[in-house]
Amino acid sequence: MAECDPNYRNPQKESVLLMAAEGYGFDDALSYYKNLMKHLGWKELGTVLAGGVMKVGDIQGHKELKDAYELGKAVAGGNGL
């Protein structure tokens, strides 16, 4: 990968992690994500992890929806998506 070779020059890449799951055990997924970002040399812009989402509609009312919206605005430079 060019990101790992100092002889190649790529623009800095950035990433966010948005995740909804039935449970609340995000430790493994978050650890994997952080290690992947470190390995690739990418910049983390944020994470939003919403647990307790078991069926369609369960996400409604979660504070993580607002968190994801605000993260999206920040990533887009405050202009929204």
Side-chain angles (χ1 to χ4, degrees), residues 18-26 29 48-55 58-59 62 64:
L18 304 174
M19 183 180 232
E22 291 182 356
Y24 295 89
F26 293 105
V48 178
L49 309 171
V53 182
M54 301 203 192
K55 60 184 186 291
D58 283 352
I59 193 71
H62 274 246
E64 288 83 3

Side-chain angles (χ1 to χ4, degrees), residues 44-70:
E44 286 183 63
L45 298 181
T47 61
V48 178
L49 309 171
V53 182
M54 301 203 192
K55 60 184 186 291
V56 173
D58 283 352
I59 193 71
Q60 293 302 320
H62 274 246
K63 79 168 202 63
E64 288 83 3
L65 284 176
K66 184 175 188 315
D67 295 344
Y69 177 77
E70 293 300 327

Side-chain angles (χ1 to χ4, degrees), residues 24-54:
Y24 295 89
F26 293 105
D27 292 343
D28 289 342
L30 193 54
S31 176
Y32 179 83
Y33 173 72
K34 288 184 177 287
N35 285 323
L36 180 62
M37 294 301 96
K38 183 177 177 183
H39 174 74
L40 293 175
W42 291 13
K43 180 179 178 182
E44 286 183 63
L45 298 181
T47 61
V48 178
L49 309 171
V53 182
M54 301 203 192

